[in-house]
């Protein structure tokens, strides 16, 4: 019976697929992802960092105030954006490049794969950072795999020309174009000659080369807005000023892409989504799943849904929603299949965001899951975030929180290290010691404590809240087949006699 059902599902997906391929009056999708980009933009009320092109996109978008990544690390986040599955389910546990070498499972069905099978043309320009190729095949691909990342990810003149080339190809199929900016990622650990954020790359000064389409915007350290989770010191301020200048390149690059879209006659039939992969590369940001590492900008612009243009929404969105949203836009269904073996059907836990373009939704819960960033940085965390509460489980809480190569060398982190070593005031809301050593459970009441400074996990007044959130989190881990579901106190047994009834068996290693 189950087999018969599956056969019919397969058939119906196939019919859908052929219909999109032959559709006239195409609908297209443009996804733009900033690299470590945050809320340093006027759309999100930063009055200093000037972003006229994002402003202009926002005037034709619904802006989400409650959007979150499912993991605050580059490759894991991009894999989740493109598969709709959290990193622990799609296999991209950490960074893809170099000796980290993380890849998604061979059987995962990503967006470019599904769209290609449905007759949609796929393109990627810029940072890809996921693999293997067979899981993430793009038809038109100009990425770090066949170009220099500085060129395809930061040279907005080249990005413009590549987008033009894609849009002007003679092809009647609808398209899905994914732009992975490398801006405003840090640069100091790889190309320090261009500045901490590559803010000098292409500015026309001697040795910097020229990006003809970029007019750099400069800021003074005194005028930047220091986020509440970053220390207010001269070192952090000049780091932020450099980040803002790089954001001017991202912003102007977005302007060029939107201009190309319009010139190609696709501004009236293309859904545009702008977001970022993870938190900003500052303390408590990227690689953390506090609000400061997990909250993301998200603009969703549909030419077919104009009634909420220019508005903001408090409905919750997750980057796990990108796949369901794009499939919904194309009228496609998600296929039924298995990754972890028989009877473990893959189910998307995200939802289409398109209904929010018509009216406010009551969505108020998201989940997140982190295992590694670099291969050496094992620090698994599982999270549920609701309108009122943020619950974090640190599975390996006895270990110190790890620091990545890129952030370690940054002026902001070196400043915290230097000050700690010299016993000087940090001007930060944490100490390095309590940043490194975290309890197993962290529970924050966001209404009274938006900066997440008072952990209520051991407060008996919140026992029921904690219980309820834990059981919701566990239910999500179950439906996404989280191999870490029994950590840190147990061993998951789900083979042999436990096949049909997986159990967590106690290790007697704690309470
Ligand atoms: C910006 O601030 C205004 C006024 O406080 C608020 O209504 C709006 O939602 C904010 N915008 C975003 C995107 O947070
Ligand atoms: C996608 O589909 C087209 C036509 O259906 C095919 O020719 C092409 O090789 C496919 N490309 C990729 C990258 O899968
Ligand atoms: C950016 O790309 C354009 C077009 O390919 C090229 O002319 C220019 O030299 C590049 N700029 C840099 C800084 O590499
Ligand atoms: C930290 O201290 C080192 C060694 O004294 C020094 O070279 C470096 O410039 C300092 N960095 C910051 C950001 O304070």
């Amino acid at each position: 019976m189950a087999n018969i059902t599956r056969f019919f599902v397969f058939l119906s997906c196939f019919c859908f697929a052929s219909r999109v391929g032959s559709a006239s009056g195409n609908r297209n999708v443009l996804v733009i992802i900033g690299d470590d980009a945050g809320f340093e933009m006027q759309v999100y009320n930063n009055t200093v960092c000037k972003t006229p092109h994002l402003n202009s996109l926002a005037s034709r978008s619904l802006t989400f105030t409650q959007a979150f990544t499912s993991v605050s690390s580059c490759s894991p986040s991009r894999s989740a954006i493109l598969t709709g599955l959290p990193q622990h389910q799609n296999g991209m546990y950490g960074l893809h490049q170099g000796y980290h070498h993380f890849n998604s499972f061979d059987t995962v069905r990503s967006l470019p794969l599904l769209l290609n099978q449905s007759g949609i043309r796929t393109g990627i320009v810029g940072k890809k950072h996921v693999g293997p190729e067979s899981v993430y095949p793009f038809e038109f691909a100009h990425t770090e795999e066949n170009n220099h990342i500085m060129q395809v990810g930061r040279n907005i003149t080249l990005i413009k020309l590549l987008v033009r080339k894609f849009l002007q190809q003679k092809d009647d199929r609808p398209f899905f174009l994914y732009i992975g900016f490398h801006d405003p990622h840090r640069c100091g650990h790889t190309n320090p000659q261009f500045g901490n954020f590559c803010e000098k790359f292409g500015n026309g000064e001697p040795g910097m080369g020229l990006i003809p389409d970029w007019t750099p915007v400069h800021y003074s350290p005194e005028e930047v807005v220091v986020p509440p989770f970053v220390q207010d010191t001269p070192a952090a301020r000049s780091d932020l000023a450099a980040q803002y200048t790089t954001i001017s390149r991202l912003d102007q690059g977005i302007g060029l892409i939107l201009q190309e879209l319009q010139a190609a006659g696709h501004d009236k039939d293309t859904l545009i989504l702008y977001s970022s992969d993870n938190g900003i590369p500052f303390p408590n940001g990227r690689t953390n799943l506090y609000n400061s590492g997990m909250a993301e900008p998200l603009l969703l612009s549909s030419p077919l849904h104009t009634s909420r243009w220019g508005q903001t929404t408090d409905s919750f969105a997750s980057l796990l929603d990108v796949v369901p949203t794009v499939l919904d836009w194309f009228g496609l269904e998600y296929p039924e299949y298995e990754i972890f073996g028989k009877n473990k059907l893959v189910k998307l836990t995200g939802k289409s965001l398109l209904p929010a373009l018509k009216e406010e939704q009551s969505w108020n819960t998201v989940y997140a899951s982190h295992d590694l960033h670099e291969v050496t940085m094992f620090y698994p965390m599982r999270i549920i975030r609701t309108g009122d509460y943020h619950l974090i489980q640190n599975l390996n809480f006895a270990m110190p929180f790890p620091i990545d190569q890129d952030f370690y060398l940054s002026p902001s982190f070196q400043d915290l290290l230097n000050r700690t070593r010299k016993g000087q005031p940090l001007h930060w809301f944490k100490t390095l010691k309590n940043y490194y050593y975290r309890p197993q459970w962290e529970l924050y009441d966001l209404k009274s404590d938006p900066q997440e400074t008072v952990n209520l996990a051991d407060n008996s007044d919140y026992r029921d809240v904690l219980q309820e959130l834990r059981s919701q989190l566990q239910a999500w881990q179950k439906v996404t087949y989280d191999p870490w579901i029994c950590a840190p106190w147990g061993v998951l047994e789900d083979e042999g006699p436990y096949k049909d009834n997986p159990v967590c068996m106690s290790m007697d290693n704690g309470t």
Side-chain angles (χ1 to χ4, degrees), residues 208-224:
M208 298 300 146
L210 183 69
I211 299 174
D213 287 291
W214 180 39
T215 309
V217 182
H218 298 287
Y219 299 87
S220 75
E222 293 71 39
E223 67 182 322
V224 299

Side-chain angles (χ1 to χ4, degrees), residues 308-329:
R308 299 201 69 194
W309 276 11
Q311 294 184 16
T312 59
T313 174
D314 296 330
S315 302
F316 273 41
S318 164
L319 295 186
L320 293 174
D321 299 338
V322 174
V323 166
T325 302
V326 173
L327 292 178
D328 187 13
W329 175 259

Side-chain angles (χ1 to χ4, degrees), residues 235 411 414-415 418:
Q414 286 295 308
D415 179 49
N418 286 356

Side-chain angles (χ1 to χ4, degrees), residues 24-281:
S24 56
N26 285 343
R27 287 177 161 215
N28 308 301
V29 172
L30 171 64
V31 170
I32 303 174
I33 302 294
D35 202 355
D36 296 356
F39 297 98
E40 290 67 34
M41 54 200 269
Q42 289 163 303
V43 179
Y44 284 95
N45 290 331
N46 181 315
T47 52
V48 177
C49 190
K50 305 218 166 23
T51 48
H53 300 284
L54 281 162
N55 293 353
S56 154
L57 177 60
S59 71
R60 290 182 289 120
S61 301
L62 181 65
T63 296
F64 287 78
T65 63
Q66 304 293 326
F68 302 92
T69 182
S70 69
V71 52
S72 197
S73 170
C74 183
S75 301
S77 176
R78 284 156 202 268
S79 73
I81 289 171
L82 288 172
T83 65
L85 307 175
Q87 54 86 26
H88 64 247
Q89 188 175 17
N90 77 52
M92 184 74 68
Y93 302 128
L95 298 179
H96 175 64
Q97 89 282 4
Y99 43 66
H100 313 298
H101 195 61
F102 288 99
N103 281 288
S104 287
F105 299 121
D106 294 336
T107 46
V108 167
R109 311 232 187 136
S110 77
L111 205 45
L113 186 83
L114 294 172
L115 296 180
N116 180 269
Q117 289 170 352
S118 300
I120 293 164
R121 193 158 69 97
T122 61
I124 179 169
V125 174
K127 186 162 177 173
K128 185 175 181 189
H129 219 201
V130 290
E133 175 63 24
S134 58
V135 171
Y136 299 97
F138 283 88
E139 224 172 305
F140 177 97
H142 293 266
T143 70
E144 74 276 10
E145 291 172 0
N146 55 9
N147 287 262
H148 200 292
I149 186 62
M150 295 284 278
Q151 291 299 327
V152 286
R154 300 195 196 252
N155 184 340
I156 59 175
T157 296
L158 180 64
I159 294 170
K160 172 190 79 176
L161 296 174
L162 291 170
V163 167
R164 184 177 297 168
K165 187 171 169 196
F166 177 81
L167 291 175
Q168 293 185 352
Q169 275 179 359
K170 293 250 169 298
D171 199 315
D172 290 336
R173 292 174 296 164
F175 67 78
F176 171 77
L177 178 59
Y178 175 101
I179 312 289
F181 278 96
H182 192 27
D183 285 332
H185 194 281
R186 284 188 181 278
C187 182
H189 64 305
T190 49
N191 293 84
Q193 72 277 19
F194 294 128
N196 284 312
F197 282 85
C198 268
E199 70 276 11
K200 297 177 189 159
F201 171 66
N203 71 3
E205 286 171 15
M208 298 300 146
L210 183 69
I211 299 174
D213 287 291
W214 180 39
T215 309
V217 182
H218 298 287
Y219 299 87
S220 75
E222 293 71 39
E223 67 182 322
V224 299
V225 182
V226 181
F229 53 90
V230 174
Q231 78 271 25
D232 192 347
T233 62
R237 280 180 172 270
S238 53
D239 221 9
L240 287 163
Q243 182 207 29
Y244 282 20
T245 295
T246 300
I247 289 170
S248 77
R249 192 167 52 213
L250 168 70
D251 182 66
Q252 290 170 35
I254 289 171
L256 295 171
I257 292 168
L258 298 182
Q259 217 171 1
E260 290 302 322
L261 193 70
Q262 190 173 20
H266 285 303
D267 52 323
K268 302 260 174 353
D269 57 20
T270 303
L271 180 75
I272 305 172
L273 184 148
Y274 169 75
S275 190
S276 172
D277 54 350
N278 47 244
I280 62 173

Side-chain angles (χ1 to χ4, degrees), residues 277-293:
D277 54 350
N278 47 244
I280 62 173
F282 283 88
N284 228 57
R286 189 184 65 196
T287 74
N288 285 275
L289 286 169
Y290 297 117
N291 205 53
S292 44

